[in-house]
């Protein structure tokens, strides 16, 4: 094997390892790379690098098996009412992003929806250097205590109000009435909702 192919394999395994670690950390600890698009870029790098490996090593059996695995996985995701396919599409592109905003140097907030069967939700992300951790997830059902027309996905802006050691307060701006929500940072649950 030539040195160029060995270098290509090393780069592929580095991308593959980063991608798998990112997926595992998010699934088990809700930790990901900092910023919404860093995960999107990493997933596209992983997908593109798979096809580069398949093309370069096409004469090898493992390259053909990798292509078969990608095609079968893609086909299975479409067969199941396309739900896994839409989840993959919405999470690996900006199509699932409704709103993304830096609240301050410590927090970022986003409204995302990664499925066709679920409504978008609000996430508060704590920035920790190169990584970030989701600390709050809020769904429509937590807001619809009195006004069924107020939905997270229709918020025009999200405004940082205040923070204590254990709470974080945000206002979802709709243009009247607005919702001010206080979250418990330890549990991620809303503990107070006020209309203003």
């Amino acid at each position: 094997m030539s040195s160029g192919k060995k270098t290509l394999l090393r780069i592929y395994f580095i991308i593959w390892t980063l991608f798998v670690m990112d997926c595992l950390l998010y699934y088990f600890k809700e930790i990901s790379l900092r910023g919404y698009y860093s995960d999107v870029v990493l997933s596209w790098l992983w997908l593109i690098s798979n096809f580069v490996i398949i093309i370069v090593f096409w004469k090898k059996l493992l390259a053909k098996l990798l292509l078969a695995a990608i095609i079968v996985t893609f086909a299975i995701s479409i067969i199941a009412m396309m739900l896994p396919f839409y989840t993959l599409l919405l999470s690996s592109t900006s199509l699932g992003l409704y709103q993304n905003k830096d609240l301050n140097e410590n927090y970022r907030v986003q409204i995302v929806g990664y499925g066709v069967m679920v409504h978008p939700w609000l996430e508060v992300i704590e920035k920790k250097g190169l990584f970030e951790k989701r600390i709050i997830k809020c769904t429509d059902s937590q807001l619809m205590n009195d006004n069924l027309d107020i939905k997270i996905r229709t918020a025009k802006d999200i405004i940082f109000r205040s923070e204590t050691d254990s709470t974080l307060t945000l206002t979802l701006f709709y243009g009247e009435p607005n919702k001010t929500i206080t979250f418990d940072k330890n549990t991620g649950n809303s503990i107070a909702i006020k209309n203003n």
Side-chain angles (χ1 to χ4, degrees):
M1 185 182 305
S2 69
S3 63
K5 286 186 177 181
K6 287 180 182 176
T7 303
L8 183 64
L9 274 178
R10 283 190 195 110
I11 293 170
Y12 172 72
F13 283 118
I14 289 170
I15 292 171
W16 187 85
T17 303
L18 287 172
F19 179 74
V20 170
M21 286 176 50
D22 189 49
C23 291
L24 291 174
L25 280 171
Y26 188 77
Y27 184 76
F28 291 109
K29 300 286 186 183
E30 296 184 346
I31 295 173
S32 66
L33 294 172
R34 187 166 176 176
Y36 179 82
Y37 291 102
S38 58
D39 293 325
V40 170
V41 168
L42 182 59
S43 63
W44 278 99
L45 272 175
W46 174 80
L47 185 63
I48 291 167
S49 68
N50 278 311
F51 286 108
V52 169
I53 290 296
I54 289 168
I55 292 167
V56 171
F57 293 97
W58 180 246
K59 293 183 180 179
K60 305 282 183 188
L61 177 63
L62 286 176
K64 293 174 182 165
L65 290 174
L66 178 60
L67 178 62
I70 291 171
I71 290 171
V72 167
T73 303
F74 185 71
I76 289 172
S77 75
I78 291 176
I79 289 171
M81 292 175 40
M82 293 184 68
L83 296 180
F85 171 75
Y86 281 123
T87 300
L88 180 66
L89 179 68
L90 294 172
S91 64
S92 62
T93 65
S94 60
L95 296 174
L97 180 65
Y98 287 73
Q99 197 171 134
N100 183 23
K101 180 180 181 181
D102 280 326
L103 294 175
N104 56 28
E105 65 276 355
N106 297 322
Y107 299 105
R108 179 173 71 82
V109 67
Q110 62 187 23
I111 297 175
V112 292
Y114 297 139
V116 293
M117 302 289 283
V118 294
H119 296 294
W121 59 88
L122 176 129
E123 294 180 340
V124 177
I125 313 291
E126 184 177 15
K127 302 173 190 176
K128 296 183 173 190
L130 181 62
F131 298 98
E132 59 187 20
K133 179 174 176 46
R134 182 177 76 183
I135 59 169
I136 294 166
K137 179 180 178 182
C138 179
T139 62
D140 282 338
S141 62
Q142 293 172 286
L143 297 183
M144 291 191 205
N145 54 356
D146 56 352
N147 188 345
L148 298 178
D149 294 328
I150 299 289
K151 295 184 177 14
I152 288 175
R153 66 183 164 270
T154 60
K156 295 177 183 160
D157 197 7
I158 303 164
I159 302 162
F160 177 81
R161 287 292 175 212
S162 64
E163 176 184 17
T164 66
D165 289 339
S166 60
T167 64
L168 183 70
T169 303
L170 305 175
T171 296
L172 272 67
F173 179 77
Y174 294 94
E176 297 298 324
N178 300 318
K179 292 254 186 191
T180 298
I181 311 164
T182 301
F183 296 98
D184 183 328
K185 291 196 295 190
N186 297 321
T187 64
N189 297 327
S190 59
I191 53 176
I193 299 175
K194 183 175 78 170
N195 291 327
N196 14 0

Coordinates of all heavy atoms in Angstrom, one line a residue, residues 161-196:
R161 N -32.7 36.8 30.6 CA -33.2 37.7 31.6 C -32.2 37.7 32.8 O -31.7 38.7 33.2 CB -34.6 37.3 32.1 CG -35.7 37.7 31.1 CD -35.8 39.2 31.0 NE -36.8 39.5 30.0 CZ -36.7 40.6 29.2 NH1 -35.8 41.4 29.4 NH2 -37.6 40.8 28.3
S162 N -32.0 36.5 33.4 CA -31.2 36.5 34.6 C -30.7 35.1 34.9 O -31.2 34.1 34.3 CB -32.0 37.0 35.8 OG -33.1 36.2 36.1
E163 N -29.8 35.0 35.8 CA -29.3 33.7 36.2 C -28.9 33.7 37.7 O -28.3 34.7 38.2 CB -28.0 33.4 35.3 CG -27.3 32.1 35.7 CD -26.1 31.9 34.8 OE1 -25.6 32.8 34.2 OE2 -25.6 30.7 34.9
T164 N -29.1 32.6 38.3 CA -28.6 32.4 39.7 C -27.8 31.1 39.6 O -27.6 30.5 38.6 CB -29.7 32.3 40.7 OG1 -30.4 31.1 40.5 CG2 -30.7 33.5 40.7
D165 N -27.3 30.7 40.8 CA -26.5 29.4 40.8 C -27.3 28.3 40.4 O -26.8 27.3 39.8 CB -26.0 29.2 42.3 CG -24.9 30.2 42.7 OD1 -24.3 30.7 41.8 OD2 -24.7 30.3 43.9
S166 N -28.6 28.3 40.6 CA -29.5 27.1 40.3 C -30.5 27.4 39.2 O -31.2 26.4 38.8 CB -30.1 26.6 41.6 OG -31.0 27.6 42.1
T167 N -30.7 28.6 38.8 CA -31.8 28.9 37.9 C -31.3 29.7 36.7 O -30.3 30.4 36.8 CB -33.0 29.6 38.5 OG1 -32.6 30.9 39.0 CG2 -33.6 28.8 39.7
L168 N -32.1 29.7 35.6 CA -31.8 30.5 34.4 C -33.2 31.0 33.9 O -34.1 30.2 33.8 CB -31.1 29.6 33.3 CG -30.7 30.3 32.1 CD1 -29.6 31.2 32.3 CD2 -30.3 29.2 31.0
T169 N -33.3 32.3 33.7 CA -34.6 32.8 33.2 C -34.5 33.4 31.8 O -33.6 34.2 31.6 CB -35.1 33.9 34.2 OG1 -35.1 33.4 35.5 CG2 -36.4 34.5 33.8
L170 N -35.4 33.0 31.0 CA -35.4 33.5 29.6 C -36.8 34.0 29.3 O -37.8 33.6 29.9 CB -35.1 32.3 28.6 CG -33.9 31.5 28.8 CD1 -33.9 30.3 27.8 CD2 -32.7 32.4 28.6
T171 N -36.9 34.9 28.3 CA -38.2 35.3 27.8 C -38.3 34.9 26.3 O -37.4 35.2 25.5 CB -38.3 36.9 27.9 OG1 -38.3 37.2 29.3 CG2 -39.6 37.3 27.3
L172 N -39.4 34.2 26.0 CA -39.7 33.9 24.6 C -40.5 35.1 24.1 O -41.6 35.3 24.6 CB -40.4 32.6 24.5 CG -39.5 31.4 24.4 CD1 -38.8 31.1 25.6 CD2 -40.4 30.2 24.0
F173 N -40.0 35.8 23.1 CA -40.7 37.0 22.6 C -41.6 36.6 21.4 O -41.1 36.1 20.4 CB -39.6 38.0 22.2 CG -40.2 39.3 21.6 CD1 -40.8 40.2 22.4 CD2 -40.2 39.5 20.2 CE1 -41.3 41.4 21.9 CE2 -40.8 40.6 19.7 CZ -41.3 41.6 20.6
Y174 N -42.9 36.9 21.6 CA -43.8 36.7 20.5 C -44.4 38.0 20.0 O -45.1 37.9 19.0 CB -45.0 35.8 21.1 CG -44.5 34.4 21.4 CD1 -44.2 34.1 22.7 CD2 -44.5 33.4 20.5 CE1 -43.8 32.8 23.1 CE2 -44.0 32.1 20.8 CZ -43.7 31.8 22.1 OH -43.3 30.6 22.4
G175 N -44.2 39.1 20.7 CA -44.8 40.3 20.3 C -46.1 40.6 21.1 O -46.9 41.5 20.7
E176 N -46.4 39.9 22.1 CA -47.5 40.0 23.0 C -48.5 38.8 22.8 O -48.9 38.6 21.7 CB -48.3 41.3 22.9 CG -47.5 42.6 23.2 CD -47.1 42.6 24.7 OE1 -47.8 42.2 25.6 OE2 -46.0 43.1 24.9
P177 N -48.8 38.1 23.8 CA -48.1 38.0 25.1 C -46.8 37.3 25.0 O -46.7 36.4 24.1 CB -49.1 37.3 26.0 CG -49.8 36.3 25.0 CD -49.9 37.1 23.7
N178 N -45.8 37.6 25.8 CA -44.5 36.9 25.8 C -44.5 36.0 27.0 O -45.3 36.2 27.9 CB -43.4 38.0 25.9 CG -43.4 38.9 24.7 OD1 -43.6 38.5 23.6 ND2 -43.2 40.2 25.0
K179 N -43.6 35.0 27.0 CA -43.5 34.1 28.1 C -42.1 34.2 28.7 O -41.1 34.1 28.0 CB -43.7 32.6 27.6 CG -45.1 32.3 27.1 CD -45.8 31.5 28.1 CE -47.1 31.0 27.5 NZ -47.9 30.4 28.5
T180 N -42.1 34.4 30.0 CA -40.9 34.4 30.8 C -40.8 33.1 31.6 O -41.7 32.8 32.3 CB -40.8 35.6 31.7 OG1 -40.8 36.8 30.9 CG2 -39.5 35.6 32.5
I181 N -39.8 32.3 31.3 CA -39.7 31.0 31.9 C -38.4 30.9 32.7 O -37.3 31.3 32.3 CB -39.6 29.9 30.8 CG1 -40.7 30.1 29.8 CG2 -39.7 28.5 31.4 CD1 -40.5 29.4 28.5
T182 N -38.6 30.4 33.9 CA -37.4 30.2 34.8 C -37.2 28.7 34.9 O -38.1 27.9 35.1 CB -37.7 30.7 36.2 OG1 -37.9 32.1 36.1 CG2 -36.5 30.5 37.1
F183 N -36.0 28.3 34.6 CA -35.6 26.9 34.5 C -34.7 26.5 35.7 O -33.9 27.3 36.1 CB -34.8 26.5 33.2 CG -35.6 26.7 32.0 CD1 -35.6 27.8 31.2 CD2 -36.5 25.7 31.5 CE1 -36.3 28.0 30.1 CE2 -37.2 25.8 30.4 CZ -37.1 27.0 29.6
D184 N -34.8 25.3 36.2 CA -33.9 24.8 37.2 C -32.7 24.2 36.4 O -32.9 23.3 35.6 CB -34.6 23.7 38.0 CG -33.7 23.1 39.1 OD1 -32.4 23.1 38.9 OD2 -34.2 22.7 40.1
K185 N -31.5 24.7 36.6 CA -30.3 24.3 35.8 C -29.9 22.9 36.1 O -29.3 22.2 35.3 CB -29.2 25.2 36.0 CG -29.4 26.6 35.4 CD -28.1 27.4 35.3 CE -27.5 27.8 36.6 NZ -26.4 28.7 36.5
N186 N -30.2 22.4 37.3 CA -29.8 21.0 37.7 C -30.7 20.0 37.0 O -30.2 18.9 36.6 CB -29.9 20.9 39.2 CG -28.9 21.8 39.9 OD1 -27.8 22.0 39.4 ND2 -29.2 22.4 41.0
T187 N -32.0 20.2 37.0 CA -32.9 19.2 36.4 C -33.3 19.5 34.9 O -33.7 18.6 34.2 CB -34.2 19.2 37.2 OG1 -34.9 20.4 37.1 CG2 -33.9 18.8 38.6
G188 N -33.2 20.8 34.5 CA -33.6 21.2 33.2 C -35.1 21.5 33.0 O -35.5 21.8 32.0
N189 N -35.8 21.4 34.1 CA -37.3 21.6 34.1 C -37.6 23.0 34.3 O -36.9 23.8 35.0 CB -38.0 20.7 35.2 CG -37.8 19.3 34.9 OD1 -37.7 18.8 33.8 ND2 -37.7 18.5 36.0
S190 N -38.8 23.4 33.8 CA -39.3 24.8 34.0 C -39.9 24.8 35.4 O -40.6 23.9 35.8 CB -40.3 25.2 33.0 OG -41.4 24.4 32.9
I191 N -39.6 25.8 36.2 CA -40.2 25.9 37.5 C -41.1 27.1 37.7 O -41.9 27.2 38.6 CB -39.1 26.0 38.6 CG1 -38.0 27.1 38.3 CG2 -38.4 24.7 38.7 CD1 -37.0 27.3 39.4
A192 N -41.1 28.0 36.7 CA -42.0 29.2 36.8 C -42.2 29.7 35.4 O -41.3 29.9 34.6 CB -41.5 30.3 37.7
I193 N -43.5 30.0 35.0 CA -43.8 30.5 33.7 C -44.7 31.7 34.0 O -45.7 31.6 34.7 CB -44.5 29.5 32.8 CG1 -43.6 28.3 32.5 CG2 -45.0 30.2 31.5 CD1 -44.3 27.2 31.8
K194 N -44.3 32.9 33.4 CA -45.1 34.1 33.6 C -45.4 34.7 32.2 O -44.5 34.8 31.4 CB -44.3 35.0 34.5 CG -45.0 36.3 34.8 CD -44.2 37.1 35.8 CE -43.1 37.9 35.1 NZ -42.4 38.8 35.9
N195 N -46.6 35.1 32.0 CA -47.0 35.9 30.8 C -46.7 37.4 31.0 O -47.0 37.9 32.0 CB -48.4 35.7 30.4 CG -48.8 34.3 30.0 OD1 -47.9 33.7 29.4 ND2 -49.9 33.8 30.3
N196 N -46.1 38.0 30.0 CA -45.9 39.5 30.1 C -46.3 40.1 28.8 O -46.4 39.6 27.8 CB -44.5 39.9 30.4 CG -43.4 38.9 30.3 OD1 -43.6 37.8 30.0 ND2 -42.2 39.3 30.6

